[in-house]
Amino acid sequence: MAPALLLVPAALASFLLAFGTGVEFVRFASLRPLFAGSPEAGGPDAHQGWLAALKDRSVLASLAWDLGLLLLFVGQHSLMATETVKVWTSRCFGVLQRSLYVACTALALQLVMRYWEPVPRGPVLWEARTEPWTTWVPLLCFVLHVISWLLIFSILLVFDYAELMGLKQVYYHVLGLGEPLALKSPRALRLFSHLRHPVCVELLTVLWVVPTLGTDRLLLALLLTLYLGLAHRLDQQDLRYLRAQLQRKLQLLSRPQDGDKAE
């Protein structure tokens, strides 16, 4: 039992790293562009046109750096999700395979956020510059971001969050219950094989709905939109299963507790 219990701190450390990275991503994707004014800033006169930007080495160097960071994240996230790598990491790390994947994804995303280079002199696709747009556009974006994040957290309740983070695998292993996926229904396994990102639309809203869409934000939104689109392969059968699971969980949440019945 002792060696098995040593797996618990590793799984918890991976979970805490992922949780902290998620909080940081909210700041990076929403709070900074919404509350930092014009992040690619310096005023409207500081922005170049698109043709001029293609000739500016500083702009191109920053975009190339940011593109490299994004490709590093996408490459890690995709490569470690392939069956070949899954089999190898399962053989080497056993029940910690999912925790390793989560930790590596969190570290890759941390690299993107910490070393991301804004492009202050790059062109801007859109920007709210005059009243009343400078007041209402950021407010509307803020409301949509809040709704999107609330939906993201709500959707995670439909899925087995502990299993996604690798905690449930270690918990089942310590108790000798086997692999959690072996207890899933065929419909659930089919859904998981099709759905890499259960919050695709909400994340796209966060990426695109900003008061100022500068060059580096455009690069971030375009590449992640392409990646999310390629990873999103739901069909009608998957949607029906999702709807049934959501209704079941809502019924469980709305069911009166024993104490309420006694009253």
Side-chain angles (χ1 to χ4, degrees), residues 178-210:
E179 172 61 38
L181 279 179
L183 304 178
K184 296 289 184 183
S185 68
R187 295 176 67 193
L189 294 176
R190 185 178 187 277
L191 172 67
F192 293 159
S193 68
H194 287 177
L195 186 59
R196 290 278 305 282
H197 302 279
V199 289
C200 183
V201 175
E202 293 77 12
L203 280 178
L204 292 181
T205 301
V206 169
L207 290 172
W208 286 99
V209 181
V210 288

Side-chain angles (χ1 to χ4, degrees), residues 55-73:
K55 302 177 183 179
D56 191 324
R57 291 187 176 182
S58 63
V59 172
L60 294 178
S62 296
L63 290 177
W65 175 262
D66 292 340
L67 177 62
L69 290 174
L70 288 173
L71 292 178
L72 173 66
F73 169 74

Side-chain angles (χ1 to χ4, degrees), residues 9-210:
L12 286 176
S14 173
F15 169 76
L16 292 176
L17 175 62
F19 182 82
T21 301
V23 173
E24 181 71 11
F25 184 72
V26 173
R27 185 199 67 83
F28 174 80
S30 290
L31 299 183
R32 190 173 73 175
L34 290 178
F35 295 107
S38 178
E40 296 87 6
D45 296 335
H47 302 309
Q48 303 185 63
W50 293 96
L51 292 178
L54 294 176
K55 302 177 183 179
D56 191 324
R57 291 187 176 182
S58 63
V59 172
L60 294 178
S62 296
L63 290 177
W65 175 262
D66 292 340
L67 177 62
L69 290 174
L70 288 173
L71 292 178
L72 173 66
F73 169 74
V74 170
Q76 174 275 325
H77 203 53
S78 300
L79 182 64
M80 292 192 68
T82 61
E83 286 301 321
T84 302
V85 177
K86 281 183 178 180
V87 170
W88 180 79
T89 52
S90 296
R91 186 182 304 120
C92 296
F93 298 94
V95 73
L96 289 176
Q97 182 270 332
R98 182 65 189 181
S99 295
L100 177 67
Y101 175 78
V102 169
C104 290
T105 298
L107 289 174
L109 188 55
Q110 285 283 353
L111 288 176
V112 172
M113 295 185 292
R114 291 182 180 275
Y115 295 102
W116 186 263
E117 287 193 4
V119 185
R121 300 181 64 246
V124 173
L125 191 61
W126 66 68
E127 181 179 16
R129 296 182 181 178
T130 59
E131 289 293 349
W133 309 116
T134 53
T135 299
W136 289 105
V137 170
L139 180 60
L140 176 62
C141 292
F142 173 76
V143 171
L144 290 176
H145 277 236
V146 170
I147 293 174
S148 296
W149 286 116
L150 288 177
L151 286 173
I152 288 173
F153 298 142
S154 300
I155 290 172
L156 289 177
L157 294 177
V158 179
F159 289 84
D160 198 336
Y161 187 70
E163 186 174 332
L164 291 175
M165 293 293 103
L167 292 174
K168 194 171 185 179
Q169 288 85 334
V170 173
Y171 174 74
Y172 273 44
H173 178 76
V174 171
L175 297 181
L177 299 177
E179 172 61 38
L181 279 179
L183 304 178
K184 296 289 184 183
S185 68
R187 295 176 67 193
L189 294 176
R190 185 178 187 277
L191 172 67
F192 293 159
S193 68
H194 287 177
L195 186 59
R196 290 278 305 282
H197 302 279
V199 289
C200 183
V201 175
E202 293 77 12
L203 280 178
L204 292 181
T205 301
V206 169
L207 290 172
W208 286 99
V209 181
V210 288

